[in-house]
Amino acid sequence: MNDKNITIPLIPIRDMVILKGENVTLDIAKRKSLYALENALDEDKQLFFVLEKAKNDFNNIGTIVKIKKYDDIMPSVTRIVVEGVKVAKIQQITQKSPFFKADVYILEEENLLNDEEKIAYLDILKDSFSEYAKVKKNFMPDIIMDILSSDNLEELFTMLLNNIDLNVEEKLYILNKISFKEQLEYFLKALSKKIKISQIEAKILTRTRVNIDKTQKEYYLREQLKTIKKELDKDDNSDVDLYKNLLEKKSMPTYAKEKLEKEINRLDKIQTSSPEYTVCNDYINFAINLPWQQSSQVNSNILDIEQKLEEGHFGLEDVKERIVEHIAVMQTSENVNTPIICLLGPPGVGKTSIAKSIANALNIKYTRISLGGLRDEAEIRGHRKTYIGAMAGRIIKSINDTKTNNPLILLDEIDKISTDFRGDPSSALLEVLDKEQNKDFKDNYLEIPFDISKVFFICTANDISKIPAPLRDRLEIIQLSSYTTEEKEIIANNFLIPNQLKNHNLSKSNLKIGKSTVKKIITEYTRETGVRQLERNIAKLCRKAVKIRLEDNNKNVTISSANLKDFLGAPKYKKEVLNKKDMVGCVRGLAWTSVGGTTLDIEVAIMEGSGKISITGNVGKVMNESAQAAISYVRANYKKYNLVKNFYKTNDIHIHIPEGATPKDGPSAGITMTTAIISALTNKKVNKNVAMTGEITLRGNVLAIGGLKEKILAAKRIGIKKVIIPKDNEVDLEEMPQYVKEDIEIILASHIEDVLEHSIVK
Ligand code: ADP
């Protein structure tokens, strides 16, 4: 990079342009801008300001400023004094979060004036200024002196820019001009317009009486404004008229109407060129358009709601049932402080999408607020509008986006909010969610209470322990659990594939994805609790199919398990398979990991040695203890298994659980390890078609375990014929869907003897 190209933190500003040489004081309150400021202070104290013309639409030329002073005037507001030092053009925004950063190119002013021209402009500027100062009468004498005594054109121009109020458009025009001459010409034009207005003002003032009381004064001032506008032949009052009209028609609470009426009257009195006008105008524009009393007509037909929920998602019976109950309660007793639903579960299990479905079934609008990483209370409640860049909080903004006062707002990842010096967002959220208080929710920016009690709030979370306790008390937790391979297959075939085909404008015959292909994607290309990766892989297939069809005469594409790897690359995960033959010291265990049920071999080798015990394969503490318990049990019962009394003194025992990359822990491998040890010591084979899970005590009793459904399904997936599970888990078995229990023999064991009975080959 040469010295004309630099990368610099960028702050967009809405209603302000800073010119080169200008000194400006401003308050920074937006979080993004504060980050940019922090970064600039850490580095070379330079920032780049650009005008944000509309949301995310930046003027491409902006000003590099030097920070001369800064001061934290409030916990989340920093007041800075900056001086415009250079003008630069945005080449590229290189970063958007946590703050904007841009590559900019420094523009050099084109200063082609010769000496005579310079003197001429110097004179004209001074003349115009003194004329202005004469009518304006509010300049300090020493400033007038400084300006009139200057003999350097550039300096003079800078002084004038610092002392004469130009509006945003005027400044922007000057900023965007590279040619100094054009800047001067334009400035002179603007100045002469100001002189004309001031002269008219002065004329009116001399005509009006001096001693007038307050009401009369207002009247005259308004008359004055009208005269000015007439003289200038332009009617800037259109905003005010428009708002008055709107306000009359719009239905909203009386207190809101009154407050807005006041604001509109205030706007009428502010000069359109002043920054205050923009602030006031933006505020009225925002507040008046809020959906104060505009609601969606809520579907109250419970049967219809149930059916729509059913159509949108497979399974999730609990969730659907509880939601329908919740809706029924809400409808019958509107003002009760019903708990807020919180959908709790791992990623990708459909929390967001079922919330969307609920909104759809209820016929209300849906919007989502992501709370991940939220630290600033003002994000929820808004910034006071006295600060530059102030905005309403996210709650009011989302409601505004939906244009109704009864949308469904999904508060996503409520377990990821944090608290720091910027306040406690969770207490602000509590207020939002509390029906007693949210009838007149107060946003700092809006100032007028807004009734958010009709909003249907639903939260989501991954981890219940991370939800702040007071919030948790307000929530009705509905748990969504991970999906089995079979469930994933159904979701893929009935929901994900049809949806993705539709998104990619493909018909069923344009792209065929066979059932076995889907299964292969699930087992060999994804490892997840939900179906996100699965959905992504299906989307990838659709994209590739679209490409093939474009290149090859719209031909139909079929994806089978054989050609799948041409589309998705080599499988990412190894398929679990049944062992080929019965083996000594090798037993298939069943485990439950964060991505669902899986099977794993436990291998034991006995070697001549001195009683050393080693356990390898990325094993956790609890599993290690299970291994110790297994060995102690075998040692204590050596007679039962016809072992030599001191067998352990002359042998080393090595327990290994392959696939070291997957961390494993939990007590449920107890019986598997014991079986493997006994098999190795007695040199008897273990049936390859058996898999098992269960905790073991020192007495050889088998204790209950968790994740039974996932484990049985994992065993079935690889073709195991018989699973041995703890007798204590019999109750879980009763509640399990029939399809899980079909086609597999389930043995209930209360003691290790039962396990050996069914696993050791005789
Ligand atoms: P979460 O919010 O829990 O992380 P998402 O709602 O983003 O999960 O779900 C990811 C994708 O999986 C979505 O496209 C969703 O429609 C789909 N999905 C998840 N569960 C189901 C289900 N039970 N039936 C149909 N589609 C589902």
Side-chain angles (χ1 to χ4, degrees):
M1 257 194 203
N2 59 35
D3 52 0
K4 281 197 163 179
N5 283 311
I6 58 168
T7 305
I8 185 167
L10 178 154
I11 295 187
I13 30 176
R14 266 297 164 92
D15 35 37
M16 197 180 207
V17 170
I18 301 173
L19 293 174
K20 197 170 129 182
E22 205 183 358
N23 281 286
V24 178
T25 305
L26 58 157
D27 292 345
I28 305 285
K30 275 198 209 168
R31 188 136 60 98
K32 252 190 173 172
S33 308
L34 285 169
Y35 284 143
L37 176 64
E38 251 169 51
N39 183 274
L41 290 175
D42 285 346
E43 308 233 323
D44 54 1
K45 296 202 172 174
Q46 295 219 41
L47 275 170
F48 186 60
F49 276 97
V50 284
L51 180 73
E52 187 176 19
K53 295 188 280 193
K55 194 163 170 53
N56 287 331
D57 175 16
F58 302 157
N59 187 48
N60 62 357
I61 296 182
T63 317
I64 299 177
V65 305
K66 184 116 203 125
I67 302 163
K68 293 168 80 177
K69 228 175 106 182
Y70 60 96
D71 192 8
D72 293 333
I73 54 167
M74 299 261 304
S76 54
V77 183
T78 304
R79 177 163 294 171
I80 56 174
V81 180
V82 298
E83 181 186 337
V85 286
K86 278 181 190 124
V87 175
K89 187 167 182 173
I90 302 179
Q91 303 290 90
Q92 190 186 1
I93 303 279
T94 54
Q95 171 184 311
K96 290 194 172 157
S97 175
F99 58 88
F100 287 110
K101 237 180 177 175
D103 284 345
V104 303
Y105 178 80
I106 295 170
L107 301 171
E108 291 301 340
E109 222 165 54
E110 233 174 59
N111 192 343
L112 302 171
L113 300 179
N114 60 35
D115 286 350
E116 285 81 30
E117 278 174 320
K118 277 188 182 165
I119 295 172
Y121 275 115
L122 206 65
D123 286 347
I124 300 171
L125 280 172
K126 284 186 197 171
D127 284 351
S128 302
F129 172 73
S130 54
E131 201 176 337
Y132 186 56
K134 222 186 285 163
V135 278
K136 256 311 206 202
K137 296 200 177 77
N138 58 356
F139 287 97
M140 309 274 273
D142 52 341
I143 289 183
I144 301 183
M145 276 301 291
D146 277 352
I147 290 177
L148 295 183
S149 61
S150 165
D151 54 8
N152 177 312
L153 183 59
E154 286 80 9
E155 260 176 40
L156 173 70
F157 189 46
T158 306
M159 273 193 277
L160 290 172
L161 290 179
N162 273 304
N163 285 291
I164 290 173
D165 276 342
L166 295 175
N167 66 28
V168 178
E169 291 84 59
E170 290 166 338
K171 283 186 169 185
L172 187 65
Y173 190 91
I174 294 178
L175 180 79
N176 286 340
K177 288 285 168 225
I178 298 184
S179 149
F180 187 44
K181 189 167 166 184
E182 278 184 78
Q183 291 180 358
L184 288 173
E185 296 277 344
Y186 182 81
F187 177 78
L188 279 168
K189 241 187 254 165
L191 188 56
S192 79
K193 195 165 128 195
K194 283 184 195 300
I195 295 171
K196 199 169 150 205
I197 296 174
S198 303
Q199 281 168 343
I200 300 165
E201 274 176 348
K203 230 194 275 170
I204 298 165
L205 271 179
T206 46
R207 265 197 271 126
T208 42
R209 282 183 296 130
V210 187
N211 286 328
I212 33 179
D213 63 28
K214 196 169 164 274
T215 44
Q216 268 177 318
K217 190 174 164 194
E218 257 180 33
Y219 169 78
Y220 280 114
L221 284 173
R222 223 170 285 132
E223 285 300 299
Q224 209 175 310
L225 249 176
K226 270 192 205 152
T227 325
I228 295 170
K229 277 175 188 148
K230 223 181 256 158
E231 295 243 4
L232 286 173
D233 197 27
K234 99 174 200 258
D235 190 6
D236 264 338
N237 223 6
S238 52
D239 284 343
V240 171
D241 293 340
L242 191 86
Y243 290 143
K244 282 192 171 155
N245 245 326
L246 248 175
L247 193 67
E248 208 170 292
K249 287 193 207 117
K250 181 114 183 175
S251 57
M252 59 169 81
T254 327
Y255 55 83
K257 230 172 210 179
E258 282 166 1
K259 160 90 181 170
L260 282 176
E261 219 164 76
K262 264 192 213 148
E263 287 291 319
I264 296 171
N265 286 335
R266 197 164 78 86
L267 185 72
D268 201 10
K269 289 173 211 142
I270 309 175
Q271 281 214 358
T272 42
S273 60
S274 91
E276 205 190 338
Y277 185 89
T278 323
V279 175
C280 185
N281 187 23
D282 285 353
Y283 172 76
I284 299 173
N285 193 6
F286 179 77
I288 206 166
N289 286 308
L290 280 175
W292 292 95
Q293 284 165 344
Q294 288 68 46
S295 318
S296 304
Q297 176 76 35
V298 183
N299 180 7
S300 57
N301 181 341
I302 294 283
L303 285 178
D304 184 51
I305 295 172
E306 265 182 309
Q307 193 193 336
K308 289 208 168 110
L309 287 180
E310 208 50 57
E311 282 164 11
H313 285 83
F314 164 78
L316 306 175
E317 301 310 335
D318 283 11
V319 184
K320 291 175 191 162
E321 206 173 295
R322 282 176 75 178
I323 284 166
V324 171
E325 279 167 21
H326 190 90
I327 293 169
V329 173
M330 273 193 348
Q331 283 179 354
T332 46
S333 41
E334 241 183 34
N335 292 323
V336 184
N337 221 346
T338 40
I340 307 296
I341 290 183
C342 175
L343 303 171
L344 178 77
V349 293
K351 300 183 294 296
T352 320
S353 69
I354 195 134
K356 267 191 216 157
S357 259
I358 297 171
N360 181 34
L362 284 172
N363 186 37
I364 56 180
K365 293 274 168 49
Y366 164 88
T367 174
R368 169 175 164 269
I369 300 179
S370 164
L371 299 176
L374 187 82
R375 289 185 294 181
D376 192 347
E377 196 179 321
E379 291 267 351
I380 301 281
R381 240 199 269 267
H383 289 284
R384 277 176 219 294
K385 72 170 182 296
T386 32
Y387 307 127
I388 286 176
M391 271 189 300
R394 293 213 214 164
I395 302 285
I396 292 293
K397 262 201 272 179
S398 319
I399 291 177
N400 186 40
D401 289 346
T402 70
K403 289 286 162 226
T404 57
N405 66 357
N406 62 343
L408 185 155
I409 299 187
L410 186 74
L411 300 169
D412 211 4
E413 302 195 311
I414 197 161
D415 52 342
K416 304 240 164 64
I417 45 177
S418 52
T419 303
D420 70 1
F421 65 94
R422 296 187 191 89
D424 180 2
S426 71
S427 75
L429 265 183
L430 265 178
E431 198 184 312
V432 167
L433 297 177
D434 186 354
K435 273 239 172 11
E436 301 283 319
Q437 299 182 59
N438 69 11
K439 268 201 189 61
D440 37 32
F441 172 69
K442 212 145 179 209
D443 180 281
N444 291 329
Y445 176 77
L446 183 59
E447 287 173 354
I448 318 169
F450 191 96
D451 180 0
I452 57 169
S453 63
K454 294 196 179 69
V455 175
F456 188 171
F457 288 105
I458 293 187
C459 313
T460 76
N462 290 150
D463 184 351
I464 188 167
S465 67
K466 301 230 168 73
I467 307 176
L471 258 181
R472 200 164 56 216
D473 289 345
R474 293 281 301 117
L475 304 177
E476 175 180 355
I477 305 283
I478 302 185
Q479 177 96 40
L480 283 81
S481 55
S482 52
Y483 294 125
T484 62
T485 309
E486 290 69 18
E487 287 168 337
K488 288 180 189 171
E489 276 176 59
I490 301 173
I491 295 174
N493 291 322
N494 298 347
F495 297 90
L496 305 180
I497 295 181
N499 286 344
Q500 289 300 333
L501 286 178
K502 205 162 117 203
N503 288 348
H504 290 83
N505 223 351
L506 291 164
S507 75
K508 261 199 230 159
S509 45
N510 293 157
L511 172 64
K512 287 206 189 85
I513 307 177
K515 297 245 163 20
S516 60
T517 319
V518 170
K519 193 167 189 162
K520 197 172 165 107
I521 301 175
I522 296 171
T523 51
E524 294 178 44
Y525 290 85
T526 68
R527 253 311 123 94
E528 58 178 345
T529 45
V531 289
R532 279 216 193 131
Q533 288 177 19
L534 177 59
E535 187 177 38
R536 236 172 271 145
N537 277 311
I538 293 171
K540 195 166 171 188
L541 295 182
C542 293
R543 282 198 304 275
K544 298 224 157 157
V546 170
K547 188 161 167 257
I548 292 174
R549 285 169 55 76
L550 276 179
E551 289 167 354
D552 198 352
N553 264 336
N554 279 340
K555 88 165 183 197
N556 288 339
V557 180
T558 304
I559 302 176
S560 64
S561 15
N563 69 0
L564 183 62
K565 67 172 181 309
D566 301 339
F567 291 84
L568 297 183
K572 295 202 172 53
Y573 303 99
K574 214 174 90 214
K575 201 170 146 193
E576 303 159 59
V577 285
L578 211 55
N579 289 328
K580 289 207 173 62
K581 50 183 201 272
D582 299 339
M583 283 186 281
V584 169
C586 177
V587 186
R588 187 59 68 114
L590 296 171
W592 189 65
T593 67
S594 60
V595 293
T598 169
T599 72
L600 38 93
D601 274 330
I602 293 188
E603 298 173 350
V604 171
I606 309 284
M607 298 144 288
E608 261 181 43
S610 55
K612 274 204 292 288
I613 294 167
S614 42
I615 304 165
T616 52
N618 201 0
V619 172
K621 182 164 167 270
V622 181
M623 212 178 221
N624 234 309
E625 285 171 0
S626 287
Q628 305 288 350
I631 291 168
S632 298
Y633 169 79
V634 179
R635 275 176 57 182
N637 294 281
Y638 70 97
K639 273 195 196 137
K640 207 188 241 173
Y641 304 109
N642 293 327
L643 301 174
V644 196
K645 185 169 180 209
N646 284 331
F647 72 89
Y648 57 91
K649 283 197 179 149
T650 52
N651 290 297
D652 286 347
I653 302 181
H654 183 176
I655 305 177
H656 179 60
I657 308 173
E659 281 218 60
T662 329
K664 315 163 196 81
D665 203 11
S668 70
I671 61 168
T672 324
M673 285 192 274
T674 317
T675 309
I677 294 167
I678 293 175
S679 153
L681 287 168
T682 55
N683 206 21
K684 285 183 181 155
K685 287 182 179 162
V686 180
N687 183 343
K688 68 176 192 320
N689 292 316
V690 174
M692 58 183 71
T693 175
E695 192 177 348
I696 190 158
T697 69
L698 286 178
R699 304 261 168 299
N701 293 323
V702 180
L703 302 183
I705 44 84
L708 192 62
K709 178 178 158 199
E710 283 81 2
K711 287 177 176 174
I712 297 182
L713 287 166
K716 284 174 71 171
R717 202 157 54 220
I718 66 162
I720 294 279
K721 303 274 179 338
K722 197 196 284 186
V723 286
I724 304 175
I725 65 166
K727 176 122 179 44
D728 291 353
N729 280 98
E730 200 170 0
V731 271
D732 303 327
L733 211 52
E734 281 159 19
E735 287 170 6
M736 215 170 279
Q738 192 52 36
Y739 76 92
V740 182
K741 299 182 269 191
E742 276 165 9
D743 301 328
I744 192 156
E745 189 185 350
I746 299 175
I747 307 290
L748 297 168
S750 47
H751 192 271
I752 186 72
E753 280 303 300
D754 307 330
V755 179
L756 298 173
E757 168 73 26
H758 285 98
S759 56
I760 300 281
V761 180
K762 295 194 178 95

